[in-house]
Amino acid sequence: NQEITSEVGRVLDRSYSEYDRPFREEFCNDQLRSTFEVYQGRPFSAKTQVALFDDARVISATLTPGTLTRNARLVSAETTSLIAINVHRGQAKLTCDGRSMTIDPLSVAVVHADTPFQLDILPVGESTTISWVELSSVSDLRSLIRNKFVMVSSNALSEYISFFVDFFIKYAN
């Protein structure tokens, strides 16, 4: 396994068997700009693959149930990025601006990256696999999303996000 770094153009592949400082700081804080709390009484494991580019962060993660929180302290208010989140296996609930929506394998959530949100990885099965695409050069597209986030129920978009993440992780090196 490689250590998580900010090296552009390489895939950073890591498995975590303990809910410890490397997972919380190297993956959650550095890569997702978030915190993660494991649901009490649940065993923990995570497998992450991260591909960093000049204007994109592409992540595939398999996580045990818990709550990922992206708060104002961890994100820059000046970012113009968008985040697309897709669930391949399992289910998650996104809460943002007082509204909650379920993300399942047939839907994609698109969120302004400077917006605080909570993503609950729900205890449906042993783990949930998500794709996370953060694009920074999308200021024109960002203006189309008037609210802080939007949920899109589209099998085609869901498959595209999954393909996009798999492609860039496979061919980044």
Side-chain angles (χ1 to χ4, degrees):
N1 287 336
Q2 301 168 343
E3 291 299 312
I4 299 289
T5 66
S6 60
E7 195 170 342
V8 173
R10 298 213 34 183
V11 173
L12 312 167
D13 192 346
R14 181 104 191 244
S15 292
Y16 301 90
S17 59
E18 295 183 34
Y19 179 66
D20 56 7
R21 189 185 62 75
F23 172 75
R24 291 190 313 268
E25 290 180 11
E26 294 171 0
F27 179 67
C28 294
N29 289 357
D30 294 349
Q31 303 304 326
L32 298 179
R33 296 179 188 92
S34 303
T35 61
F36 187 84
E37 294 296 325
V38 178
Y39 286 169
Q40 270 192 320
R42 300 292 296 218
F44 171 80
S45 69
K47 171 140 179 54
T48 63
Q49 294 176 298
V50 180
L52 302 172
F53 302 95
D54 290 333
D55 60 353
R57 178 181 313 267
V58 178
I59 299 168
S60 176
T62 301
L63 303 166
T64 53
T67 300
L68 186 136
T69 303
R70 189 167 170 113
N71 61 42
R73 183 178 54 82
L74 296 171
V75 298
S76 168
E78 299 177 13
T79 184
T80 58
S81 300
L82 285 175
I83 300 170
I85 303 168
N86 172 244
V87 172
H88 295 281
R89 185 182 71 228
Q91 197 173 59
K93 181 177 79 170
L94 178 74
T95 303
C96 180
D97 266 358
R99 296 184 301 152
S100 294
M101 296 185 183
T102 300
I103 308 172
D104 60 31
L106 297 177
S107 60
V108 176
V110 181
V111 185
H112 288 199
D114 61 346
T115 302
F117 64 84
Q118 182 173 306
L119 183 68
D120 288 302
I121 307 298
L122 300 175
V124 177
E126 292 181 20
S127 60
T128 295
T129 302
I130 65 169
S131 293
W132 176 293
V133 178
E134 188 168 340
L135 301 171
S136 60
S137 57
V138 290
S139 56
D140 292 339
L141 179 59
R142 182 181 156 108
S143 65
L144 295 175
I145 301 173
R146 292 180 185 90
N147 296 322
K148 302 288 184 186
F149 77 107
V150 64
M151 183 68 64
V152 180
S153 293
S154 166
N155 192 39
L157 182 58
S158 178
E159 287 181 7
Y160 176 76
I161 296 292
S162 297
F163 167 79
F164 184 87
V165 169
D166 291 346
F167 178 83
F168 279 99
I169 285 176
K170 183 174 183 177
Y171 294 107
N173 290 331

